[in-house]
C-alpha cells in the first residue's frame, strides 16, 4: 500500500553532522530573546549600584530623581525591605547564586551591589533618575581578596557539608623521599562571563500570575526559586527563555535582580523591563573568582609519579561558602600512590562567585598541567611520554575504574596532527626570524554528569513530531541534538520535528550546567520515543490486514518513515500510526540516571538538579578526556605573544552532532587561549572595586588573535555511562588550554609563567634573540 503522505527528508541518525535547526532564526534575527518580548505599556527599570564595597547607606536623596518627568517610583531598602524572602544558596540546595540581599537593609556587602531600582516611563528617564540619586554612605574598609586585611580563610572540609579533600597514602613522606620534585605556586585571575546578551529581566503580572522573560540556564529552578522568594505558589510563575545569548554558568542560579523586578511589576501593576548595563553585569551576577595553588609533584627517575600535593585557595563572598574545589579532578588524572589535597575559601567583601565554564577544572588543572610540564623538563622526558607513563585505568584515590578513558589515544591523535615529533625539546631552540616558537601540550578532563530529566514527545497522524522538555540551548546545540535524537528513534526527518525548550511550563529538565544537557535530555527523549515505537509496534502485530501479524513487536523499528521488521517487511509510517491511535500518540518519559538517588526526580520538579557522575559515584568514575597542543610565537623584541594554531583531540563518548560538538570544543579552546593570555578582571585593592568593567578593557580574543583551531574526535563507545553513550563536552574544550599555552610559552622563551594571564610584560626577562 502507498503512503498518502509525502515522504519527508531522510531521517538522520545520531552522530550525523547537521547544522543547527535554530540557526536560521538566529542569523535572521527572528529568534526572540527575553528582552525582545513586546510588553503592553511597559515600565523601564534601571539599577543604581553601590559606589562602596562595604558599609551602610546613610541616606538616599531621591528628590532630584523623583522630580524628573517620567520617573514613576524608586525602590530602595526603605520601601522594599522584607518583600523578598531569604533563600538558600544554589550550592547548598537552594536556588540563589548569592545570599547577599540588596534592598533588604541598609548594608552594602560588595561594590556594585544593587542599591536602588528606578522605574520610569522611558529607559532614558530611568537612567537619568538612577544617576541623580544622591546616596550617602558610611564606608568601612573592605577586604578585596587574597592578602587583604580582614579577609578570613576557612578550610572547605570544615564548612561545606559532605566535602572531603581527596587523599591517599603518605604524600608528605613520599614527596620528601622522591628524587625529582616540583614545588611551585600558581595563580589564576578573576574573570567574568560577559555573555553578549546582557542581564535582562521582564516581569508581568496578570490575575495573580507572573510571567518572567529572562535568559536562564534553569527555567524550572528560576520558577521555584522566585516563588520561594516571593512567597507564592510556583504554579503561579511562568518563565520564558527560548533563546539565550550566552550564559557560561552565569544564568544557572537566580541572581538578585529578578525578584526586585517582580516586586516592582506587582506594585505598579504594569509590566516592568530591566536591561542591566554591561558594566553592571560585572557586579550583579556571578563570576569566576581568583585562585591560588601550592602544587607539589614528585617522581622517580623514570617519571612515575610518587607524590602529588595540591593545596588551593579560592576567594568567595563574606556570607557564602561557594567553592569550586577542582582537586576532585586534579588528584585523579594520573596514577600516583600518595596524594594529599586541601581546598580553602578566603572570605572577602565581594559578591558571591559562581559557576563559570568548567568552574573547578579550568583553575585547578592549570597548576597540575603546568607542573607536569615542569616535571617533564626536569626529567628530560617528552611531556606526552610522561603522561603515558602515568596513565591509569583506575582513579588513584579509591581505585574506582574509569568507565572509559581514551586520554592517550587523544594525545597520540593530536600529536600526530600537530606534528609534535618535530619538536626540539630545548626551550628557545625553535625560531623563525624574529619569532621565538614554542610548542606545548596539556591534558583535559571533564566529569560526565547526568541528572533526572523528563520529556513529552507527541507524534501526530501526519507524521510530524513535537518534542517538549524544559531544557536550555545556551549555544550548546540543544535544539539540534534533541531533534536529531527524535529523528533517529522515530525514523522521521528533521523538517517534521519541532522542539520546544526553555519554558517552565514544559516537562522539567536539569539546569544547563556541568555539561549534562545532551546526555540527560537526549536519553529521556529517546525513552519517550521508545514508548511511541512500542505502542505502534504492539498495534502492528494484532488485528486485520497488517503485514506484521504475529511478529515480535520488540523487533520492529521505526526507520525511514516506516515501521520495519527484521525480515524486510515494512509498513508506511502513517498507516502504522493509524493502527495504534485515532489521533496523536503522546509519550511522557522520566529518566533517573545511574547514581542518582530516587528522590532526585522529585527534586527535579522543584527545580533542583541532582547531577551524578564524575568522581562522585560509589562504583565507578566517569570523565571525558582530551589532549590539546598549542603553538605560540613570541616576538624576540616586543614579546608580543601570538597563537597561530591549536589542535585538540577529544573523546567524549557518542557525539550526537559533530557540527555542534566541534563548535563547542573549538569555542572552548578559544576561551582557553583567552584565559591564558587575555582575560582578567582587575580589582582596585583599596576600594575592592573592579576597574575594567566593559568589553573595551576586559580583554578577550578577537578574530585576529585566533588563527587555526582544529578539533579531532576520538571515537568512544561507552554504554555504561548511559544508554546512548553520551558523555557531554560543553566544558571539556577549555580545560587545560591555559596550561598548554603556558607550557608553549616556556618552550618558546624559557620563562615559566605561573600566574595567569600571560601578558608580554611577564616575558621581558626572556633572553633576547641575537
Ligand atoms: Mo556551566 S559553568 O556548568 O554553566
Amino acid at each position: 500500500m502507498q503512503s498518502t503522505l509525502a515522504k519527508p527528508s531522510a531521517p538522520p541518525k545520531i552522530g550525523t553532522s547537521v547544522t543547527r535547526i535554530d540557526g536560521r532564526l538566529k542569523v535572521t534575527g527572528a529568534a526572540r530573546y527575553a528582552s525582545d518580548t513586546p510588553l503592553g505599556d511597559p515600565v523601564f527599570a534601571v539599577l543604581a549600584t553601590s559606589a562602596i564595597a562595604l558599609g551602610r547607606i546613610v541616606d538616599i536623596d531621591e528628590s532630584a530623581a523623583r522630580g524628573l518627568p517620567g520617573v514613576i517610583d524608586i525602590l530602595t531598602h526603605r520601601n522594599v525591605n522584607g518583600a523578598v524572602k531569604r533563600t538558600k544558596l544554589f550550592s547548598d540546595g537552594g536556588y540563589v547564586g548569592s545570599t547577599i540581599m540588596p534592598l533588604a537593609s541598609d548594608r552594602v556587602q560588595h561594590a556594585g551591589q544593587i542599591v536602588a531600582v528606578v522605574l520610569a516611563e522611558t529607559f532614558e528617564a530611568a537612567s537619568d533618575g538612577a544617576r541623580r540619586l544622591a546616596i550617602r554612605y558610611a564606608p568601612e574598609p573592605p577586604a578585596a581578596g587574597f592578602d587583604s586585611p580582614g579577609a578570613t580563610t576557612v578550610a572547605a572540609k570544615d564548612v561545606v557539608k559532605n566535602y572531603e579533600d581527596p587523599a591517599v597514602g603518605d604524600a608528605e613522606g613520599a614527596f620528601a623521599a622522591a628524587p625529582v620534585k616540583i614545588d611551585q605556586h600558581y595563580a589564576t585571575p578573576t574573570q567574568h562571563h560577559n555573555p553578549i546578551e546582557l542581564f535582562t529581566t521582564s516581569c508581568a503580572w496578570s490575575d495573580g500570575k507572573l510571567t518572567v522573560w529572562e535568559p536562564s540556564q534553569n527555567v524550572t529552578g528560576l520558577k521555584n526559586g522566585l516563588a520561594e522568594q516571593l512567597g507564592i505558589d510556583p504554579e503561579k510563575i511562568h518563565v520564558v527563555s527560548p533563546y539565550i545569548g550566552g550564559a557560561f554558568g552565569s544564568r544557572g542560579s537566580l541572581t538578585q535582580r529578578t525578584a526586585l523586578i517582580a516586586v516592582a511589576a506587582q506594585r505598579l501593576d504594569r509590566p516592568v523591563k530591566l536591561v542591566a548595563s554591561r558594566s553592571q553585569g560585572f557586579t550583579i551576577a556571578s563570576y569566576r573568582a581568583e585562585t591560588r595553588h601550592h602544587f607539589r609533584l614528585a617522581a622517580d627517575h623514570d617519571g612515575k609519579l610518587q607524590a602529588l600535593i595540591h593545596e588551593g585557595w579560592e576567594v568567595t563572598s563574606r556570607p557564602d561558602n561557594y567553592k569550586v574545589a577542582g582537586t576532585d579532578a586534579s588528584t585523579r588524572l594520573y596514577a600516583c600512590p600518595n596524594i594529599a589535597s586541601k581546598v580553602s575559601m578566603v572570605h572577602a567583601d565581594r559578591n558571591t562567585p559562581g559557576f563559570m565554564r568548567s568552574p573547578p577544572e579550568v583553575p585547578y588543572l592549570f597548576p597540575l598541567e603546568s607542573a607536569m610540564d615542569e616535571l617533564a623538563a626536569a626529567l628530560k622526558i617528552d611531556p606526552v611520554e610522561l603522561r603515558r607513563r602515568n596513565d591509569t585505568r583506575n582513579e588513584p584515590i579509591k581505585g574506582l575504574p574509569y568507565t572509559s578513558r581514551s586520554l592517550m589515544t587523544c594525545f597520540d591523535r593530536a600529536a600526530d596532527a600537530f606534528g609534535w615529533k618535530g619538536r626540539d625539546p630545548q626551550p628557545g631552540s625553535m625560531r623563525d626570524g624574529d619569532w621565538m616558537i614554542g610548542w606545548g601540550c596539556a591534558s583535559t578532563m571533564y566529569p560526565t554528569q547526568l541528572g533526572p530529566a523528563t520529556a513529552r514527545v507527541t507524534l501526530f497522524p501526519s507524521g510530524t513530531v513535537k518534542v517538549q522538555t524544559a531544557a536550555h540551548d545556551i549555544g550548546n546545540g540543544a535544539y539540534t541534538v534533541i531533534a536529531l535524537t527524535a529523528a533517529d528513534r522515530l525514523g522521521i526527518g528533521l523538517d517534521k520535528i519541532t522542539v520546544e525548550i526553555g519554558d517552565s511550563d514544559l516537562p522539567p529538565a536539569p539546569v544547563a550546567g556541568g555539561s549534562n544537557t545532551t546526555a540527560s535530555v537526549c536519553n529521556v527523549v529517546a525513552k519517550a520515543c521508545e514508548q511511541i515505537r512500542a505502542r505502534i509496534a504492539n498495534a502492528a502485530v494484532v488485528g486485520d490486514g497488517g503485514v506484521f501479524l504475529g511478529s515480535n513487536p520488540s523487533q520492529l523499528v521505526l526507520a525511514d518513515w516506516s515501521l520495519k521488521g527484521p525480515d524486510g517487511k515494512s509498513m508506511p509510517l502513517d498507516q502504522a500510526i493509524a493502527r495504534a491511535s485515532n489521533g496523536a500518540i503522546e509519550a511522557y518519559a522520566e529518566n533517573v540516571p545511574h547514581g542518582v538517588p530516587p528522590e532526585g526526580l522529585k527534586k527535579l520538579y522543584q527545580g533542583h538538579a541532582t547531577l551524578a557522575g564524575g568522581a562522585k559515584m560509589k562504583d565507578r568514575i566517569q570523565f571525558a578526556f582530551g589532549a590539546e597542543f598549542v603553538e605560540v610565537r613570541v616576538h624576540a623584541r616586543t614579546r608580543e605573544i601570538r597563537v597561530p594554531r591549536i589542535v585538540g583531540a577529544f573523546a567524549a563518548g557518542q557525539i550526537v552532532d559533530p557540527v555542534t560538538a566541534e563548535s563547542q570544543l573549538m569555542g572552548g579552546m578559544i576561551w582557553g587561549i583567552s584565559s591564558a593570555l587575555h582575560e582578567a578582571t582587575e580589582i582596585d585593592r583599596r576600594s575592592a572595586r573592579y576597574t575594567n568593567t566593559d568589553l573595551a578593557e576586559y580583554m578577550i580574543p578577537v578574530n585576529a588573535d585566533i588563527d587555526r583551531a582544529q578539533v579531532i574526535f576520538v571515537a568512544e563507545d561507552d554504554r555504561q555511562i548511559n544508554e546512548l553513550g553520551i558523555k557531554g563536552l560543553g566544558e571539556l574544550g577549555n580545560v587545560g588550554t591555559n596550561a598548554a599555552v603556558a607550557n608553549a610559552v616556556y618552550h618558546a622563551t624559557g620563562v615559566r609563567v605561573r600566574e595567569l594571564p600571560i601578558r608580554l610584560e611577564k616575558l621581558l626577562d626572556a633572553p633576547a634573540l641575537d
Side-chain angles (χ1 to χ4, degrees), residues 51 57 63 69 101 157 236 284 323 357 367 370 386 460 482 520 548 554 589 604 621 699 714 719 768:
I57 298 168
S63 54
M101 296 192 57
K157 67 171 170 11
K236 294 214 150 79
I284 66 163
K323 62 118 184 56
R357 206 167 185 184
S370 297
L386 180 66
F460 295 93
I482 290 168
S520 301
F548 293 117
S554 70
L604 175 70
I621 179 166
M699 309 286 275
V714 170
R719 302 288 151 167

Side-chain angles (χ1 to χ4, degrees), residues 337-416:
N338 303 291
I339 295 173
S341 66
K342 184 179 179 186
V343 168
S344 299
M345 284 99 88
V346 174
H347 290 275
D349 299 307
R350 302 268 296 275
N351 195 13
T352 308
F355 315 113
M356 183 162 157
R357 206 167 185 184
S358 336
E361 294 78 12
V362 163
Y364 277 77
L365 253 60
F366 173 63
L368 170 62
E369 289 303 283
S370 297
M372 284 295 279
D373 201 69
E374 298 188 50
L375 183 63
L379 287 160
K380 300 199 186 319
I381 294 177
D382 180 84
V384 177
E385 176 58 23
L386 180 66
R387 288 170 174 89
R388 196 183 314 280
R389 289 185 194 176
N390 292 288
D391 193 22
T392 179
R393 309 314 302 173
N394 296 74
E395 57 85 30
I397 303 293
K398 293 178 183 150
L400 299 176
Y402 278 102
T403 58
S404 58
R405 172 174 157 124
S406 310
L407 178 67
M408 291 322 298
T409 315
C410 291
F411 266 101
D412 292 339
R413 293 280 306 279
D416 252 10

Side-chain angles (χ1 to χ4, degrees), residues 48-57 97-103 106-115 137 140 142-144 192 255-256 279-287 316-320 348-353 683 687-690:
T49 54
S50 87
I52 64 163
L54 185 67
R56 238 168 26 82
I57 298 168
S98 174
T99 65
I100 294 171
M101 296 192 57
L103 310 199
D106 60 358
R107 287 298 294 169
V108 173
Q109 289 173 276
H110 66 88
Q113 177 181 313
I114 298 169
V115 290
Y137 300 97
E140 296 157 34
H192 280 80
T255 73
Q256 293 104 333
S279 172
Q280 288 172 339
F282 280 75
T283 65
I284 66 163
S286 67
Y287 61 99
T316 185
S317 65
R318 197 58 81 173
D320 295 326
D349 299 307
R350 302 268 296 275
N351 195 13
T352 308
I683 185 161
S687 63
R689 290 176 63 161
Y690 299 131

